[in-house]
Amino acid sequence: MAPHLRAVIFDVDGTLADTERDGHRPAFNAAFAEHGLDVEWGAAEYGRLLTITGGARRIAADLRERGVAGDEADELAARVHRTKTALFTSLVTSGAIVARPGLPELVADLAAGGVRLAVATTGRRTWVEPLVDRLLAPHPVEVIVTGDDVADLKPDPEVYLRALAALGLEARDALAVEDSAVGLRAATAAGLATVVVTNGYTADQDFTGAAAVLPGFDGPEPLRAQRCRALHRRWWTAGTATSGERGGTA
Ligand code: XBP
Ligand code: MG
């Protein structure tokens, strides 16, 4: 039987909004300063650090690189990350973070077509909930799974598996939307067809296995509900194709 698209599960950072370079990064830097640390992540350096998912893990890895011992790095990272989370939450509630162009139209179209909405992110619930509310309201987001809810962060599939379980759906019933190779790996490992919408940090990454790789939601062929359905169906019906053939730029 042909697959039927019942839900779209969105990643948050880089997908719903371009949060990383001018949102999370300055919040991390301000937190370092508040804790008296002489650390400032530049835009290019931050891009490299993004392969380490989860803010606390990212800070700890950088502190270890700078010679801070293992346990001490983890404890200091946890404290700095609490400050960063508070700062970034204030940024979110100030309304400074806006949706990527075309996202509101896609979400409205999905909701109008009866496609359920969910979120699967590495970020912390404290800021994820108000951000999702600001960017996706008035459309109901039934399920939000965050970095607080999982034992293992992306590229582990746990966040997507939990989202599917909470929706009561199989992987075949849903489509993931991601911006990064790490996110694609997580969604693919959960068995999901995945559309990648790239951004400045991720455009050159390897997206083999994606249902499509797009530079944005808008463009000559904007991503809307009908195209999501077509890409989802094609990915599943090309089930015997190699992951390379499933990728591409449709
Ligand atoms: C992106 C991440 C997060 C953010 C920072 O997650 O890896 O760590 O960079 O947020 P996704 P936190 O793309 O899955 O949304 O500081 O709250 O971790
Ligand atoms: Mg992302």
Side-chain angles (χ1 to χ4, degrees):
M1 209 170 73
H4 184 70
L5 181 63
R6 298 182 195 282
V8 171
I9 309 174
F10 287 94
D11 167 51
V12 175
D13 288 304
T15 300
L16 298 184
D18 225 337
T19 44
E20 295 290 8
R21 197 190 66 182
D22 301 321
H24 288 296
R25 186 178 65 92
F28 281 111
N29 286 337
F32 289 134
E34 266 194 41
H35 287 263
L37 293 167
D38 185 20
V39 179
E40 188 169 359
W41 288 342
E45 184 184 12
Y46 188 68
R48 288 190 290 278
L49 286 165
L50 278 175
T51 52
I52 305 160
T53 54
R57 288 177 67 234
R58 192 171 300 147
I59 296 168
D62 189 61
L63 291 176
R64 273 195 286 274
E65 282 267 301
R66 291 169 198 265
V68 182
D71 282 358
E72 200 189 325
D74 288 336
E75 282 160 30
L76 183 53
R79 286 202 300 278
V80 173
H81 191 244
R82 272 196 291 279
T83 304
K84 177 266 166 182
T85 297
L87 291 167
F88 189 69
T89 305
S90 301
L91 192 72
V92 166
T93 53
S94 77
I97 296 181
V98 297
R100 287 187 66 174
L103 175 79
E105 290 84 350
L106 168 61
V107 168
D109 200 28
L110 289 169
V115 179
R116 299 161 69 194
L117 304 172
V119 156
T121 176
T122 292
R124 294 306 178 96
R125 187 168 289 277
T126 314
W127 61 262
V128 169
E129 278 187 345
L131 183 64
V132 168
D133 197 42
R134 281 184 169 269
L135 300 184
L136 302 190
H139 309 293
V141 179
E142 282 183 48
V143 168
I144 298 179
V145 187
T146 72
D148 290 302
D149 308 315
V150 293
D152 290 309
L153 301 177
K154 297 176 189 175
D156 191 278
E158 183 179 352
V159 70
Y160 278 105
L161 294 172
R162 284 188 186 276
L164 285 169
L167 288 162
L169 295 176
E170 303 287 334
R172 190 179 166 83
D173 303 321
L175 179 75
V177 182
E178 272 285 353
D179 71 303
S180 69
V182 169
L184 171 66
R185 277 171 62 198
T188 305
L192 287 155
T194 305
V195 172
V196 175
V197 183
T198 64
N199 58 51
Y201 273 137
T202 65
D204 296 331
Q205 295 179 353
D206 178 5
F207 295 120
T208 303
V213 182
L214 311 172
F217 295 103
D218 273 344
E221 265 192 288
L223 186 67
R224 299 291 182 263
Q226 198 185 353
R227 194 163 174 217
C228 287
R229 286 192 187 90
L231 291 169
H232 174 253
R233 196 179 318 112
R234 194 185 74 176
W235 194 82
W236 280 99
T237 51
T240 52
T242 66
S243 54
E245 284 165 326
R246 281 179 177 182
T249 53

